[in-house]
Amino acid sequence: MVTISLCMIVKNEEKVLARCLDSLSGLMDEIIIVDTGSLDRTKEIASHYTDKIFDFKWTDDFSAARNFAFSKATQEYIYSADADELLTSDNREKFALLKDKLLPEIDIVQMKYGNQLEFGAVYNYDEEYRPKLFRRLRTFVWEESIHETVRLEPVIFDSDIVITHKPHESHAQRDFAAFRKQISEGRYLSKRLHNMYVRELFIAGSDEDFILAYDFFKESAMDTQRSADEINEACLAAAHAARVLKDMTGFMKYTTKLVACGGCSEICCELGIFYEAEGDFDEAVIWYYNAVYETEPVVKKLAGDIEPLEGLVRCYRALGMNEQAEEYFAKLSAIK
């Protein structure tokens, strides 16, 4: 059986911390809590579970805080958890079995992160694999009988453990503020963060959030250092912001760029929304149909089914074509 350090970074988590720690009770050999500036009872609650509580001055850098937490671990493996997560009883049993049977060559265990769609999380599917359990000290191994080399890629195991994500509030505004701060400081968004920014905007962003991001994505769409995928993402975010601002030149510029590249469900929805607002329901129907049946979503899953189907129902009803409206309503109901 392996030993595990639980490492958490927390701030003002009094509403959910005990729920998380209770669900992990008996599975962890060490609990490390790093507090980044709580003003509530978070540290008091944590003290009922561990005496390894550390303060870390917040620097707008989650990685720095997590690295500090990991540096305090002493066990063979580190389990990284957030306070708004929990393990159900059946998944506790799976975790206990994993702990007992984990093969020594495994460097990382991925677990399914569940309950995503209910809370408008940045991830598109209700369950997605995330790396959660890490070997603290990695052993390097030579491999191949000739032309031998050190194995550089970690050995990853995809478990069937599902972690339930149950936040008590959305983190979107916190994330958007962090993105804007990084941009204002002249720090270049990596490909991963660029994608995450667009995804979070489309899943949880308000019109104001898109407007505040407009200048950045206009520049990003012209950035020759960006990949084709990143430029398409930038055009998508810029098109939405332009529509909200009624910047028709910008809207046509960015929508046509994406349509010329093959399009995606999200840009078809943008065009459907535009024409629906203009009262041109026949044209809106074409684009909503394309969103469902002719393209695929790239950042928001709902743009490929529920949202355009809802648009088709509205438009056909506005056109007085009730038979078609009911047909798409039935398809929508089957998905929901």
Side-chain angles (χ1 to χ4, degrees):
M1 179 181 293
V2 301
T3 59
I4 302 175
S5 297
L6 169 65
C7 286
M8 301 179 66
I9 60 171
V10 296
K11 182 178 181 180
N12 297 331
E13 299 287 5
E14 66 177 6
K15 294 181 180 179
V16 294
L17 182 58
R19 181 186 70 187
C20 173
L21 292 173
D22 285 343
S23 79
L24 296 172
S25 176
L27 296 173
M28 303 296 147
D29 301 280
E30 177 179 58
I31 298 176
I32 293 164
I33 305 291
V34 171
D35 189 274
T36 62
S38 293
L39 299 176
D40 62 3
R41 296 178 53 249
T42 294
K43 291 170 70 173
E44 176 190 341
I45 293 168
S47 69
H48 296 310
Y49 299 85
T50 182
D51 60 357
K52 295 184 177 181
I53 302 171
F54 303 90
D55 291 312
F56 183 82
K57 185 177 180 180
W58 182 241
T59 60
D60 292 317
D61 189 332
F62 285 95
S63 290
R66 291 201 190 276
N67 286 335
F68 178 78
F70 273 34
S71 75
K72 300 299 181 181
T74 63
Q75 304 302 302
E76 294 172 279
Y77 282 82
I78 298 174
Y79 179 65
S80 179
D82 289 330
D84 58 7
E85 301 171 4
L86 63 98
L87 284 179
T88 60
S89 58
D90 58 328
N91 284 293
R92 274 181 51 85
E93 293 176 8
K94 292 177 182 178
F95 198 111
L97 181 62
L98 173 77
K99 183 179 179 181
D100 185 50
K101 303 297 185 182
L102 189 63
L103 297 175
E105 63 265 27
I106 301 298
D107 296 310
I108 297 172
V109 176
Q110 294 203 123
M111 301 177 187
K112 295 177 181 178
Y113 210 63
N115 211 39
Q116 292 287 79
L117 297 178
E118 181 180 350
F119 296 97
V122 68
Y123 295 90
N124 267 322
Y125 300 95
D126 221 30
E127 289 184 356
E128 291 185 316
Y129 270 120
R130 289 190 185 181
K132 295 294 291 182
L133 187 66
F134 308 86
R135 179 181 285 279
R136 185 173 67 86
L137 299 176
R138 185 178 170 193
T139 302
F140 288 94
V141 176
W142 287 90
E143 58 185 7
E144 310 295 358
S145 58
I146 58 171
H147 300 300
E148 68 281 2
T149 186
V150 171
R151 188 185 72 227
L152 300 178
E153 295 297 322
V155 178
I156 299 174
F157 172 65
D158 291 341
S159 74
D160 61 352
I161 297 169
V162 179
I163 299 164
T164 301
H165 182 220
K166 294 191 71 172
H168 61 89
E169 61 183 10
S170 172
H171 299 304
Q173 290 306 313
R174 176 201 70 187
D175 293 349
F176 293 141
F179 281 124
R180 292 194 293 266
K181 184 175 188 293
Q182 184 160 331
I183 291 164
S184 68
E185 292 174 349
R187 296 158 65 189
Y188 197 77
L189 291 192
S190 67
K191 182 176 182 178
R192 176 177 175 273
L193 283 183
H194 189 276
N195 174 265
M196 297 288 280
Y197 194 7
V198 177
R199 277 212 271 177
E200 196 156 7
L201 280 169
F202 273 90
I203 293 170
S206 66
D207 286 349
E208 181 64 20
D209 294 320
F210 274 95
I211 291 169
L212 291 172
Y214 191 24
D215 286 342
F216 168 73
F217 285 111
K218 284 193 292 185
E219 291 180 11
S220 185
M222 300 294 291
D223 187 348
T224 58
Q225 301 303 308
R226 294 283 182 190
S227 68
D229 286 344
E230 290 171 283
I231 290 171
N232 287 342
E233 292 166 359
C235 288
L236 183 55
H240 184 103
R243 179 177 60 77
V244 170
L245 287 166
K246 300 188 184 303
D247 172 10
M248 288 302 98
T249 300
F251 183 66
M252 293 306 297
K253 175 180 179 179
Y254 297 113
T255 54
T256 52
K257 281 180 180 291
L258 282 168
V259 171
C261 293
C264 59
S265 296
E266 292 87 348
I267 206 62
C268 290
C269 280
E270 290 294 328
L271 286 158
I273 293 167
F274 170 76
Y275 285 111
E276 184 181 357
E278 292 291 305
D280 190 344
F281 301 112
D282 288 303
E283 189 67 21
V285 161
I286 293 171
W287 290 106
Y288 284 136
Y289 182 91
N290 277 313
V292 181
Y293 298 108
E294 301 297 335
T295 54
E296 297 289 335
V298 294
V299 295
K300 186 180 184 182
K301 181 180 181 292
L302 299 183
D305 45 44
I306 290 177
E307 291 180 358
L309 285 171
E310 289 174 338
L312 286 167
V313 172
R314 290 193 305 270
C315 290
Y316 277 122
R317 284 177 177 168
L319 290 166
M321 302 172 70
N322 293 325
E323 184 177 343
Q324 289 87 340
E326 290 307 310
E327 176 188 345
Y328 286 108
F329 183 76
K331 292 179 179 180
L332 181 62
S333 299
I335 295 174
K336 288 185 173 181

